[in-house]
Amino acid sequence: MAYLEVHGIETFYGDSHILFDLSLEVAEGEVVCLLGRNGAGKTTTLKSIIGLVPPRSGRITLHGQSLTGLAPFRVARLGIGYVPEERRIFGNLTVHENLEVARRTWSDGAGGGWTAERVFELFPHLASLRGRPAGRLSGGEQQMLTIARTLMGDPSLLLLDEPSEGLAPLVVEMLAAQLARLKSTGLTMLVAEQNIHFVSELGDRVYILEKGMVRYRGTMREFVGNEEIRRAHLAV
Ligand code: ATP
């Protein structure tokens, strides 16, 4: 059974029909990439899953449990962490404080699996910045912190919206390496991206969206090896 299953969703903004009969699956431990040009519907797909823009029809399940009609905070509590395109950090708080305010505490007072210390072990560079106000971090460091904050909510599935956007090439390389480390912990991820190079090592499978529809699905290996498909569907 797929861990996340999106089946035939139709999503609208008001009267604008954006996603058409869109289906995708993510298996446990897998990293799936959602590729496509600007405006293809990647962000809308992630927002449909998290419940920010609920699909008008179709079905979304996490581990067999329906997410239909659930408010975003409930979807988050079921274990989906969402890292939006715009980085949401508190600029006046330190790196460590940003992590602590995002920490999930269960209703019985117990903490979840992720602590600031565990995040710092995984991302040593963030550890070296722990006392620095987040507003003074570079773009790449802020992206790392945004991802790290989301981990503090103990997700079992991470949705990432164009994490490499606006970052310098060297920083993109670093971020890719850090996400690879995260993948090695077994975390399942769905990553929307335009930068194929960024995800080509990380991703297991690919979906290409065009005008709100899935135009191609395959393994990353097939996709990377097929220049025709890359040319036909993406501006590369
Ligand atoms: P990008 O890389 O630009 O974020 P994307 O693939 O994530 O692209 P979406 O943001 O999902 O694409 O946009 C899909 C379509 O929905 C686009 O045509 C866009 O103009 C439209 N759209 C996005 N947000 C809204 C909104 N709030 N209201 C109306 N239309 C929207």
Side-chain angles (χ1 to χ4, degrees):
M1 181 179 59
Y3 187 60
L4 174 77
E5 190 174 359
V6 175
H7 187 82
I9 60 168
E10 309 273 341
T11 303
F12 293 72
Y13 289 110
D15 288 337
S16 314
H17 196 167
I18 307 295
L19 300 183
F20 299 84
D21 192 24
L22 190 143
S23 299
L24 62 86
E25 294 100 50
V26 185
E28 203 157 1
E30 203 180 26
V31 175
V32 172
C33 301
L34 211 49
L35 304 175
R37 297 187 176 104
N38 265 336
K42 303 180 298 295
T43 299
T44 307
T45 302
L46 299 185
K47 287 184 173 172
S48 295
I49 295 168
I50 197 80
L52 283 171
V53 189
R56 215 173 266 184
S57 59
R59 176 175 91 236
I60 302 177
T61 57
L62 184 72
H63 230 203
Q65 180 173 355
S66 173
L67 304 182
T68 304
L70 296 186
F73 78 94
R74 293 205 184 278
V75 175
R77 279 189 198 164
L78 289 175
I80 303 187
Y82 173 54
V83 181
E85 215 169 340
E86 60 286 356
R87 293 157 199 152
R88 288 187 198 146
I89 49 165
F90 298 111
N92 55 336
L93 299 185
T94 65
V95 165
H96 191 223
E97 286 164 346
N98 265 279
L99 293 178
E100 286 302 336
V101 293
R103 182 167 184 179
R104 177 166 178 172
T105 356
W106 303 82
S107 45
D108 62 2
W114 283 94
T115 59
E117 287 316 312
R118 197 172 151 217
V119 165
F120 288 146
E121 260 172 49
L122 193 69
F123 306 129
H125 186 61
L126 272 188
S128 69
L129 300 167
R130 70 172 76 203
R132 186 171 300 182
R136 287 182 31 220
L137 303 182
S138 71
E141 291 162 352
Q142 290 191 358
Q143 184 58 280
M144 261 341 293
L145 179 57
T146 309
I147 295 167
R149 284 197 59 187
T150 308
L151 293 177
M152 296 295 282
D154 268 328
S156 51
L157 166 68
L158 200 58
L159 310 181
L160 295 153
D161 196 356
E162 299 205 31
S164 78
E165 160 123 62
L167 303 180
L170 203 62
V171 181
V172 169
E173 296 290 329
M174 274 173 52
L175 187 63
Q178 312 234 288
L179 288 182
R181 295 192 71 185
L182 201 50
K183 179 184 181 182
S184 71
T185 70
L187 191 65
T188 310
M189 292 185 247
L190 177 60
V191 187
E193 255 304 334
Q194 295 207 45
N195 183 340
I196 296 171
H197 178 66
F198 174 66
V199 288
S200 60
E201 297 275 308
L202 184 72
D204 298 305
R205 284 192 307 114
V206 171
Y207 289 85
I208 299 179
L209 302 190
E210 200 179 279
K211 298 190 177 130
M213 288 179 240
V214 174
R215 290 296 189 185
Y216 172 84
R217 55 178 292 174
T219 64
M220 181 62 84
R221 189 187 289 259
E222 284 160 3
F223 170 70
V224 168
N226 192 330
E227 198 177 332
E228 212 174 303
I229 287 171
R230 293 207 314 272
R231 280 237 191 96
H233 297 291
L234 300 165
V236 290

